[in-house]
Amino acid sequence: MSEDDRLNLTPEWRRHPKSWGHSFHPMCSYMAMFPARIPHYFIQKFTRRGDVALDPFCGRGTTPLQACAEGRVGIGVDLNPLAWLLTAAKVDAPDKDDLLFRVEDLQTDMFYGDIENEPPEIRMLFHDYTLSQLSYLKGALDRNDPRDRFLLATLTGILHGATAKDGRSSHFLSISMPNTFSMSPNYIRTYVEEHELRKVKTDVFDTLRWKIERLYRHGRPEIRGYAHLAGAQHLGDIPNRHLKRKEVKLVVSSPPYLKVVRYGLYNWIRLWLLGEDPERLDQTLDQHPKLDDYLLFMHRVCQQLYRVMLPGGVCALVIGDVKTPRDTIALNLAEAVWKFLKRRKTRFELAGIIEDELAENTKVTKIWGADKRGRATLVDRVLVLAKGPVEVVREHVTW
Ligand SMILES: C[S@@+](CC[C@H](N)C(=O)[O-])C[C@H]1O[C@@H](n2cnc3c(N)ncnc32)[C@H](O)[C@@H]1O
């Protein structure tokens, strides 16, 4: 029996709906996020309570949150400040009552600030009343405080989205627009004029309370985890005792691939709230458009991962196929990464590559037009690597 057969790696996660998972997951949508059912599959199969699970490209924090919710120690690393904020808020969440008291205090202390200084592309999105509340919160929230961090992260999720059909009730703060990503200011300007969109006076504090109630449906995760704003290729420099002691039992991650998503540009509204520069962010993030550079990057990251893992640890990397405009068939990038690692004499062993066909309408990159650039594909693969012989645990925990 091969290792592949013994581990029985199959996309068993499909028996859960895509929205399955802890109620904190939908705090804010994140481009190229994976569903919580994928980390859950690996967490229950290969770890026990108290084990450490890492995602070095954590995005909205899907792996670390799901790990903490299932009694494991979740660690998330990402170079994007939005990703850090979302992950930190979820894995170190405040008590709900404390959070609601903080909302009340902030509302009591609220002063209607001067919104004239906000950029015109932001002013066209929000009613003046809503924007003055947002501007006040932007200045008042301290992201070193877990309660404020949670509020700021929650705000990023409700900042923009579609208005309900009746035009009145909305749980988003902006004019009607997509929630997943920010369209360009020029596009929005024309769209608003053509469709005569109205800015709706929405109360930020009431909307925050509504969202907090929904997020806390499953309570707080039982274990506190960690979030680090850092590069995946520099794990050795991160001040985290579990990483220093090389205690990672499981990695579940989806690395960026071949510059498919521009996290800065497509999040310019959320980044305004965080006081971050979208262009600078896109320059900081490692997205290698050339295959050779990408493979070298992945090799460096995998070396770092091997170093921080326990013997018997498993590393699952979700890597979709990609198609460049010149190609007729898509490149199996997961296999290309594995072949490159092998040529470079990686000490990881291949446990298997799981294929996961995606339904056409579920691919985020399709919605925002990556298809036009010929890069969206309908197959994700999970490259599963092992650090020596692996034990299948199957310790299922629900919260
Ligand atoms: C495909 S997304 C991960 C999405 C995540 N699985 C989720 O469910 O939200 C890839 C992430 O890699 C991050 N990233 C890009 N270059 C990085 C680097 N050198 N180190 C750490 N993170 C990086 C991006 O900011 C992005 O959040």
Side-chain angles (χ1 to χ4, degrees), residues 12 15 24 33 51 73 96 152 164 172 190 192-193 207 220 225 234 242 248 252 255 260-261 277 283 285 308 371 381:
E12 211 183 285
R15 58 193 172 88
F24 280 179
M33 62 193 179
D51 282 347
V73 180
K96 183 180 151 198
L152 196 57
F172 295 108
T190 314
V192 168
E193 279 165 20
T207 316
R220 283 196 283 183
H234 304 297
H242 299 289
V248 176
V252 185
V260 168
V261 179
D277 178 351
Q283 283 157 15
L285 296 182
V308 298
D371 260 8
R381 291 176 211 272

Side-chain angles (χ1 to χ4, degrees), residues 30 33-34 56-57 59-60 62 78-80 231-233 254 263 286:
Y30 194 88
M33 62 193 179
F34 52 38
F57 303 100
R60 65 169 181 159
T62 316
D78 202 292
L79 263 180
N80 182 346
Q233 65 280 47
S254 59
Y263 291 94
D286 290 272

Side-chain angles (χ1 to χ4, degrees), residues 99-358:
L99 191 63
L100 291 172
F101 283 134
R102 177 68 179 141
V103 175
E104 212 171 296
D105 283 348
L106 284 160
Q107 192 167 17
T108 309
D109 295 345
M110 160 85 197
F111 52 86
Y112 288 87
D114 180 13
I115 56 169
E116 302 297 316
N117 291 331
E118 295 298 354
E121 61 272 21
I122 288 294
R123 292 185 61 190
M124 77 178 164
L125 304 176
F126 304 101
H127 190 282
D128 284 358
Y129 174 84
T130 309
L131 183 56
S132 65
Q133 291 183 324
L134 281 172
S135 300
Y136 158 73
L137 286 169
K138 195 177 164 200
L141 294 173
D142 169 9
R143 59 189 87 168
N144 293 316
D145 175 321
R147 293 169 312 167
D148 284 15
R149 196 156 59 209
F150 197 93
L151 293 177
L152 196 57
T154 305
L155 274 179
T156 62
I158 57 176
L159 197 57
H160 53 82
T163 311
K165 286 251 171 0
D166 61 11
R168 281 179 295 115
S169 58
S170 165
H171 295 298
F172 295 108
L173 304 172
S174 68
I175 53 163
S176 194
M177 60 179 290
N179 171 250
T180 321
F181 65 99
S182 317
M183 294 174 299
S184 79
N186 281 342
Y187 182 91
I188 299 176
R189 199 167 290 116
T190 314
Y191 192 86
V192 168
E193 279 165 20
E194 281 174 3
H195 293 80
E196 297 176 11
L197 288 191
R198 278 185 316 114
K199 297 175 186 173
V200 182
K201 181 176 173 183
T202 311
D203 190 87
V204 177
F205 297 97
D206 289 348
T207 316
L208 259 180
R209 286 192 191 90
W210 173 85
K211 184 74 180 186
I212 289 168
E213 289 302 333
R214 290 182 69 84
L215 290 174
Y216 274 83
R217 274 196 328 276
H218 294 149
R220 283 196 283 183
E222 67 167 279
I223 296 245
R224 190 177 291 177
Y226 305 84
H228 299 281
L229 183 64
Q233 65 280 47
H234 304 297
L235 292 181
D237 299 338
I238 296 176
N240 180 297
R241 66 193 162 99
H242 299 289
L243 298 181
K244 295 269 177 234
R245 291 183 197 155
K246 306 178 171 55
E247 289 175 344
V248 176
K249 186 75 191 294
L250 173 70
V251 173
V252 185
S253 190
S254 59
Y257 33 95
L258 301 178
K259 214 170 182 67
V260 168
V261 179
R262 287 156 79 185
Y263 291 94
L265 184 70
Y266 290 101
N267 276 304
W268 65 269
I269 306 174
R270 291 180 176 132
L271 292 172
W272 159 77
L273 186 71
L274 306 190
E276 302 284 346
D277 178 351
E279 259 179 57
R280 231 195 16 238
L281 175 60
D282 279 333
Q283 283 157 15
T284 313
L285 296 182
D286 290 272
Q287 306 225 47
H288 302 279
K290 291 210 183 102
L291 182 62
D292 292 350
D293 295 341
Y294 177 77
L295 293 174
L296 277 171
F297 169 70
M298 285 306 293
H299 178 246
R300 257 199 311 276
V301 171
C302 286
Q303 277 179 314
Q304 293 281 311
L305 291 174
Y306 191 91
R307 279 194 62 249
V308 298
M309 283 172 63
L310 287 169
V314 168
C315 171
L317 302 173
V318 179
I319 305 178
D321 289 8
V322 283
K323 196 161 161 252
T324 66
R326 271 172 286 128
D327 296 331
T328 43
I329 50 163
L331 168 69
N332 181 338
L333 194 55
E335 196 178 270
V337 169
W338 169 243
K339 283 186 176 156
F340 189 83
L341 293 179
K342 221 164 86 177
R343 268 209 308 280
R344 294 263 161 161
K345 309 223 176 318
T346 178
R347 286 188 286 165
F348 271 127
E349 289 156 28
L350 180 66
I353 298 183
I354 313 174
E355 197 173 300
D356 191 16
E357 297 267 343
L358 302 174

